[in-house]
Amino acid sequence: MLVLVDVSPISTQKIWSFSRVTIGSLVNSLTKVLLPCLLSLVWQLAETEGGHCYLLDYLPEFCVFPQTETQSPRHGGESVAEVLRAHGVKFVFTLVGGHISPILVACEKLGIRIVDTRHEATAVFAADAVARLSGTVGVAVVTAGPGLTNTVTAVKNAQMAESPVLVMGGAAGTLLQGRGALQDIDQMSLFKPLCKFCASVRSVREIIPTVRKALAIAQSGTPGPVFIEFPIDTLYPFHLVSKEFGVKNPPKGIMGKIVTWYLHNHLNNLFAGAWETRDLFPLPVHIPQATDDQVQKCIELVSRAKKPVILLGSQATLPPTPADNIRMALESLGIPCFLGGMSRGMLGRDSALHIRQNRRDALKDADLVLLAGTVCDFRLSYGRVLSRHSKIIAVNRDKTQLLKNSDMFWKPTVAIQGDAGSFLIRLSQGLKGHKCPEDWPQSLKAGDVIKEKVNRLKADEKTDHHLNPLRVLHRVDELMADDSIIVADGGDFVGSAAYILKPRGPLRWLDPGAFGTLGVGGGFALGAKLCRPESEVWIIYGDGSLGYSVAEFDTFTRHKTPIIALVGNDACWSQISREQVPILGSNVACGLAFTDYHIVADGYGGKGVQIGRKDEDKLDDLIKEAQKETREGRATLLNVLIGKTNFREGSISV
């Protein structure tokens, strides 16, 4: 026969006086882990023995939590907003949903601008752009289930681009998860492979420390995305949540008491200590640095080099070192540089040190190569373009990226797990007065001039149909404002633009990065325009990639963020077609139409213009008119009908 122990008032008092906290914690654990077994046991006893469950008489005395303010109108969304404001967050990007409304309303009340988009991926892309341009964490909030699954590509892109982004998502209530609630899925398993840190908030008092921790982790080490899940009952106020916890027809007798007690206990635990004063301000951020010995060894290697080359990657633009300080360090070193990703524009438009062409040949001749935040992945042929005779200094915050493919195709002379920007400053300080031999960068620049003259001649060629895309891009490069930010979203047309368009300064080029994601354009441009409202923001679209985010022209209109979209419309997924047709003999799935995208822009409240061969003589005027429209507050789309060239033959698509 099973027997429940009768805990007397005397023995209970002894345990109580021993440790209120211990008992409270114990009951919490029992509630979460052992309650189902306890319920089953008690139910069986009540049914079969007809006995009295003495434990129930003392449950209120055992269950001790921090104070629960049942009359407070406050809600968890306010705690989220307070932490974001304390961390200097200015924008929250979202696509609204009932699970997350308290966060959005609270942020708006505290002066954080809520920017709602037409797709959840755009919200994360916009947060990514803000992170890159502002040096802070970008923030996106989306609803549960499909709202979060819609962000997966954008979150993975942020991971590979090393952007500190905080993604917050709603979730089913704490007691309803796994029970078939609306939009309830295992969100944590989905995001753990994509994020540096994932957490599911289980009570309101956890919100502030969890958000602070996530923001610090996003920026520490190798930056990246973090994810926090908020069950809906952690965000709404007590009086609303308590209504959902009420049982209309509880079972009678012992079982009814247990169910009622359990729900009451769970509700109190959700809100216990919710509004106690907590520190809101940023936690320390850890950034790895090169050691003094490593820097000194590199100073000695560079000082002996006759033909050094620097390959600067996006990671070199990360905080804490200002981009202008890095530019001055590079100019002091006098070493020719190839700039990739976010580092494009680091040396301005026409620097004698910025080499844009013939990289493979330069790396073959170089006696020293400095990989400053650059990774030996497909972009460097997995390291095969590096000469085995070169001394190689590799600097990267991430150990895996630092040594990628070094087991096969290349070997670093010095490998430093540290911040590339800070390293360059210390290197230039240690080499003060030393200059790279001038004939080396001059010879590389001469090769640049020859190659660019050839490219310019290609721009003057007539295509079989419509406009020469190279000519269009050259005209845009000549006419765009000096403060312009360029967003790259596409394949073939954007690949050509990367050779022709010259960012005027640091942090003025945004591309997806190593993941090669299409669809970043609308979100990146939105984030860029909000960060730099006085700057001219250009999206360079292929007609294929435009389809992912053309609906964001509605967002540009509603949020008064006028941008210019330049669409290279060749009615084709050309980057794929170029190889698919000659190799496999079919253009299947590559063909598009010369769609009237300019009319779509008009429909969303923007200004659309179609430009074809008949408009070639007034191309400059049409570009200037688009610039004027954006200055006056209207997003503009230039639907440029382009023909085919052989400029990109041999470029990779897989």
Side-chain angles (χ1 to χ4, degrees), residues 292 294-304 328-329 332-333 335 422-435:
D292 290 341
Q294 288 172 327
V295 174
Q296 182 58 42
K297 186 172 182 179
C298 293
I299 289 171
E300 294 169 4
L301 288 171
V302 174
S303 67
R304 294 194 293 267
M328 289 188 288
S332 173
L333 290 168
I335 298 173
S422 304
F423 170 81
L424 288 170
I425 301 296
R426 294 165 67 187
L427 184 68
S428 68
Q429 291 169 346
L431 287 165
K432 197 169 185 179
H434 172 82
K435 274 279 187 180

Side-chain angles (χ1 to χ4, degrees), residues 11-89:
S11 59
T12 303
Q13 184 62 40
K14 289 179 180 178
I15 297 174
W16 176 256
S17 62
F18 177 72
S19 174
R20 293 167 62 97
V21 176
T22 301
I23 294 301
S25 301
L26 176 61
V27 172
N28 281 344
S29 300
L30 287 171
T31 300
K32 294 176 182 177
V33 180
L34 301 179
L35 187 65
C37 298
L38 179 63
L39 290 179
S40 176
L41 176 62
V42 170
W43 183 253
Q44 290 178 42
L45 281 174
E47 288 290 304
T48 60
E49 301 298 329
H52 178 69
C53 182
Y54 294 103
L55 181 60
L56 293 178
D57 295 336
Y58 300 101
L59 280 175
E61 203 168 351
F62 274 86
C63 298
V64 181
F65 303 104
Q67 185 178 0
T68 301
E69 299 180 30
T70 60
Q71 302 304 313
S72 175
R74 296 187 63 184
H75 56 78
E78 295 173 349
S79 297
V80 175
E82 288 169 357
V83 179
L84 295 182
R85 182 176 64 173
H87 284 70
V89 173

Side-chain angles (χ1 to χ4, degrees), residues 273-324:
W275 316 124
E276 293 177 359
T277 302
R278 290 179 175 83
D279 190 358
L280 299 170
F281 291 95
L283 294 168
V285 173
H286 170 68
I287 299 173
Q289 301 288 351
T291 66
D292 290 341
D293 288 344
Q294 288 172 327
V295 174
Q296 182 58 42
K297 186 172 182 179
C298 293
I299 289 171
E300 294 169 4
L301 288 171
V302 174
S303 67
R304 294 194 293 267
K306 303 300 181 185
K307 295 182 176 181
V309 167
I310 295 176
L311 271 58
L312 202 67
S314 296
Q315 205 181 89
T317 66
L318 292 172
T321 308
D324 285 336

